[in-house]
Amino acid sequence: MSTHRLERIQHIIASAIGEMIVSRAVKDPRVDSLASVHRVVVSNDISSARIYISGYLDEHKLEKCVQGLNSAAGFIQKKLAAVLKTRRTPKLVFFVDTSVSDGFSVINDLLPQV
C-alpha cells in the first residue's frame, strides 16, 4: 500500500479519535478530555493500528486513560468504520506516550536554576 494512503488514514484516525476524546463520546470515566492522540501507526494491510496517547496528565491518570480507551476500543473502532469508509477497519490498541513529559523534564534539567 502506498505510504501516502497510509499517512492519510493515520491522520483521519488521529483526528477522529481526538475528537471523540474531547467531545466525551467515550463514556468511560477513566478517559480524560485532557488526553490527546500523539501518534498513530497503521500496519501496511490496515489490520491493526497502534495509537499513542499523551497529555497534560500525571503518569497514573494517563495510564488509567489508556486502560479506558483500550476497554472502549470496540466502540471507537465502530465509530471509525463510518469515518474511514475502507473495506477493513483496523483493530485498535492504545499505548501511553510519555515523550512530551520526558521532553519537558529534559528542558527543565538544562535550564539554569534560579
Side-chain angles (χ1 to χ4, degrees):
M1 179 171 299
S2 71
T3 58
H4 177 60
R5 182 166 185 232
L6 278 178
E7 288 173 2
R8 191 176 74 228
I9 290 172
Q10 289 170 357
H11 177 71
I12 291 170
I13 290 173
S15 62
I17 292 175
E19 188 176 317
M20 283 184 226
I21 291 172
V22 171
S23 67
R24 298 208 179 260
V26 180
K27 301 294 185 194
D28 194 311
R30 297 174 287 184
V31 178
D32 195 326
S33 63
L34 292 176
S36 63
V37 178
H38 187 258
R39 185 171 49 140
V40 176
V41 179
V42 177
S43 64
N44 286 335
D45 60 350
I46 314 178
S47 64
S48 65
R50 297 171 61 106
I51 296 105
Y52 295 91
I53 303 295
S54 65
Y56 296 107
L57 303 167
D58 64 356
E59 193 170 336
H60 178 70
K61 283 187 179 179
L62 192 59
E63 287 175 5
K64 289 290 185 187
C65 180
V66 168
Q67 288 174 0
L69 288 169
N70 276 320
S71 69
F75 169 77
I76 297 170
Q77 185 175 344
K78 181 181 174 187
K79 294 291 185 182
L80 275 178
V83 175
L84 283 179
K85 297 179 182 151
T86 56
R87 181 177 297 170
R88 185 182 311 179
T89 305
K91 181 179 180 337
L92 307 176
V93 182
F94 294 89
F95 296 95
V96 174
D97 187 2
T98 59
S99 62
V100 174
S101 61
D102 294 343
F104 282 128
S105 66
V106 168
I107 290 172
N108 287 335
D109 292 342
L110 294 175
L111 292 174
Q113 299 299 321
V114 182

